[in-house]
Structure formats: C-alpha cells, structure tokens
Amino acid sequence: MDLEAYKGVFTFAEQVDGNLTPVSLELLGIASDLAESLREQVTAVLLGKQVQDLAPGLIAAGADRVIVVDDPELEIYRTEPYTQAICAVIEAYKPEIFLVGATAIGRDLGPRVAGRVHTGLTADCTKLEICELEDGSKQFQMTRPAFGGNLMATILCPDFRPQMATVRPGVMVRKVADPDRKGEIVNFDAKLEKNNCYVDVLEVVKSAHNKVDIQDAKVLVSGGRGVGDPKNFAMLQELADVLGGEVSASRAVVDAGWQGKERQVGQTGKTVRPNLYIAVGISGAIQHLAGMEESDYIIAINKDPDAPIFKVADVGVVGDLNKIVPALTEAIKAEQAKK
C-alpha cells in the first residue's frame, strides 16, 4: 500500500430523516484539529436522498469539502448500499483518516467498511491526536478505554489506510458554527450495485416514547445505588425540575431496573457534558467518571468521605442524601421565589 497517496481527514456525516446527528458536527470539530496538525483538509461524506441542503451546515461546522452521495437507495439506512458508497469514496479520494460516530448506524457501518477496504478500526475512542515522532514523521494515535475501563489503550494503524476510528457521541466538542465559512460541495456517483446483501425495508415504525436525551441537558441530577430505593428518584426528579434539568443514573441503577437505559451515564452508557452535574449516591467508579468528568461543574453528595467521586468534584458534600437533597431543593425554590 502506498501510504503517501492517502491524504486528508474524512468524517461520516450521519443524517436521519434529513437531520444531521449531533455527533456528525462533533466529529468535524476534532477532524479540524487533526487536519490542522497534518496541514490537510477536512472532508465530510454525506449520504442520503435529497440531502444536498445539509452540506452548507457541515461547511459551517468545519468541513472544507462535502462529498454528497445522493441516491434513492440511500434514503433509509441499509448496511450494504451505505457500505458500498463509503468504500467508493475511499477508493476515489484515498483519505488518510476516516472518522465515524459510534451511533447505532456508525457501529454497524464502520466495521464493515474497514473490513471491505482491509484496514483497522479503533472503536469508542475518547481521544484522537497527531503526535510527531523522533524522525519528524507524524503518527495518528487513537485512545480508548480497555479492560472494563481500567486502563486506556493507545492504538496505531501504521501499515494500512485509511486509519479508522469510531467516536462516541458527546466525547468531542463541536466548534462554533461559522455561516460565513467557504467550502466545496462535490456530487459523487458511487455506482451502487444491488446484490444479495441488500435488504428491502418494507415499513419503518416509529414508537412514541417519552424518552429524553440526557446529552442535550444543561443540568443533570444523577443517582447511583446509594440512593437506596427506586422511589427516592422522585426526590432527584424534583431537584432536577427546579433546576430545569434532567435525571440521569449510573449503570448499577439501570441494571437494577430503577431507571431506563437512555438515562445511563458512563462508559457503557452516554457521555455527557452538562453545565452542572450533581452526583447523588454515586461512588465514582472509573467507568462512570469516563462518561461525565468533562462536565463544567460537578457537585457530589455521598455519605462516604472516601468515595472516588470527590476526586473529580468541584464541590463535595458528605452526608445523608435523604436530608441534603430535599433541603437543597427547598433552598433553590426559596431563592427563585425572591426573583
């Protein structure tokens, strides 16, 4: 493989029902940093049917070029046509780095593309960087949690291209969109061929649930097993309500069935970056910290003064949460009543 022929940082711009997913914009943020180190361009690859209108938003978010593959076969995500389209782009443009969001679609698409173009893929990365080696060359380093989150593994792909990674939503920070940014929009014909790997989508049924996306919340009140009883989450909900936030939870709480999976924070849940994160009855295992330690301000409430959560907290309160949380809620209500 001629490694020198591969240039640029590419991202998969995932869209669902004509709307870009948040991780697509987050990927452009880290891609811009990587491309700056390599002195290369950022290219977003946009697949779908009649999705050209999304291209300017990708340029505003950091893309120098948007490759649009517009085809009726790409209207609804299906593994085979999407894989064919991405592989066709890789063959034609030869990217050095290709980033994919670790969403349900990305987790399905990324490994198949990597396998088809014969390269490696590092999953669920929490850090991506370009490091300069002693000989002056530059190396793309992908870091992800390993062994249950007990250590961080830095992985290299020196012999094959593109170097591929999936990144969990919420891990990277999107750049402030600049509507005045200029970029190139390229329409690309992937020449999709229907084969025996195609499936036919007969119907898409969207179930209506009152689910929340905790990754969008500015304030999170998160409960762990230390809350003691699922009924006590009503107390956390009241605090979240007065703060205009949402309730989230640790894995132990979700595994116990006290809260739904969509509210789980941590390595096997969601990565969040709220302005305020209140950890109630959470010990602070490394798997949980991986999902919330980048929050702007962290308050921890725990009866154990040696709980690891206090090491990352800006404010730590040691005591009985059954007394502290209601008192905090009433104090906030009193302050709000004065305004």
Side-chain angles (χ1 to χ4, degrees):
M1 179 174 282
D2 180 10
L3 302 184
E4 293 300 320
Y6 289 77
K7 303 291 183 183
V9 181
F10 283 48
T11 69
F12 171 55
E14 180 183 328
Q15 59 81 25
V16 179
D17 295 334
N19 297 304
L20 290 169
T21 59
V23 72
S24 299
L25 305 178
E26 294 165 9
L27 288 179
L28 288 172
I30 183 61
S32 297
D33 294 338
L34 298 174
E36 184 177 353
S37 298
L38 293 170
R39 296 181 181 178
E40 297 287 349
Q41 284 192 325
V42 176
T43 299
V45 183
L46 176 63
L47 310 184
K49 178 185 177 183
Q50 297 179 351
V51 292
Q52 294 92 336
D53 291 346
L54 300 177
L58 293 169
I59 292 173
D64 299 303
R65 175 176 59 184
V66 179
I67 297 174
V68 180
V69 185
D70 196 292
D71 193 295
E73 295 287 354
L74 303 172
E75 180 176 9
I76 298 173
Y77 176 76
R78 290 178 294 166
T79 304
E80 182 59 22
Y82 267 65
T83 300
Q84 283 189 27
I86 295 295
C87 289
V89 170
I90 290 174
E91 182 178 352
Y93 289 91
K94 291 182 167 43
E96 182 176 0
I97 296 170
F98 202 107
L99 306 180
V100 180
T103 60
I105 288 176
R107 291 175 190 271
D108 179 73
L109 179 64
R112 284 164 173 78
V113 171
R116 199 162 295 187
V117 301
H118 193 64
T119 190
L121 180 141
T122 305
D124 286 350
C125 294
T126 57
K127 185 178 181 181
L128 303 171
E129 60 183 340
I130 304 295
C131 294
E132 188 166 337
L133 305 181
E134 292 181 359
D135 61 2
S137 62
K138 294 183 177 180
Q139 176 69 61
F140 180 43
Q141 298 188 345
M142 302 164 278
T143 301
R144 71 176 304 274
F147 294 100
N150 292 308
L151 60 84
M152 303 301 287
T154 298
I155 298 173
L156 312 179
C157 182
D159 300 326
F160 297 95
R161 295 291 183 272
Q163 301 164 96
M164 293 186 64
T166 62
V167 180
R168 289 177 61 184
V171 172
M172 303 301 173
V173 179
R174 70 174 73 175
K175 294 187 180 296
V176 177
D178 179 5
D180 296 325
R181 280 191 89 249
K182 303 299 180 184
E184 179 185 10
I185 300 175
V186 179
N187 292 304
F188 180 78
D189 182 4
K191 294 181 172 58
L192 303 179
E193 296 182 3
K194 195 167 186 176
N195 56 28
N196 60 2
C197 292
Y198 269 58
V199 297
D200 293 323
V201 179
L202 302 181
E203 184 182 8
V204 176
V205 180
K206 296 182 179 180
S207 56
H209 292 291
N210 293 323
K211 291 185 177 180
V212 298
D213 189 349
I214 59 174
Q215 290 178 314
D216 292 335
K218 300 300 182 184
V219 177
L220 284 175
V221 180
S222 198
R225 284 296 293 267
V227 172
D229 191 286
K231 295 179 181 178
N232 288 340
F233 270 85
M235 175 173 57
L236 272 59
Q237 184 66 61
E238 187 176 3
L239 175 58
D241 289 342
V242 299
L243 291 170
E246 296 287 350
V247 168
S248 55
S250 67
R251 176 177 176 174
V253 165
V254 172
D255 287 348
W258 295 2
Q259 291 290 320
K261 175 72 175 178
E262 72 277 4
R263 295 183 183 269
Q264 182 181 333
V265 173
Q267 183 182 336
T268 55
K270 293 182 177 180
T271 301
V272 296
R273 291 172 177 264
N275 300 134
L276 174 62
Y277 189 89
I278 303 178
V280 182
I282 294 175
S283 63
I286 189 170
Q287 292 88 343
H288 185 80
L289 298 182
M292 47 67 69
E293 60 185 348
E294 295 297 325
S295 302
D296 291 343
Y297 201 82
I298 300 171
I299 298 175
I301 302 172
N302 201 294
K303 65 180 180 181
D304 179 7
D306 297 320
I309 191 70
F310 289 125
K311 295 180 180 179
V312 300
D314 296 286
V315 173
V317 182
V318 179
D320 185 356
L321 62 89
N322 293 289
K323 296 179 180 178
I324 295 169
V325 173
L328 179 58
T329 302
E330 292 305 315
I332 294 172
K333 286 181 178 180
E335 285 296 318
Q336 290 176 340
K338 296 177 182 178
K339 298 180 181 179

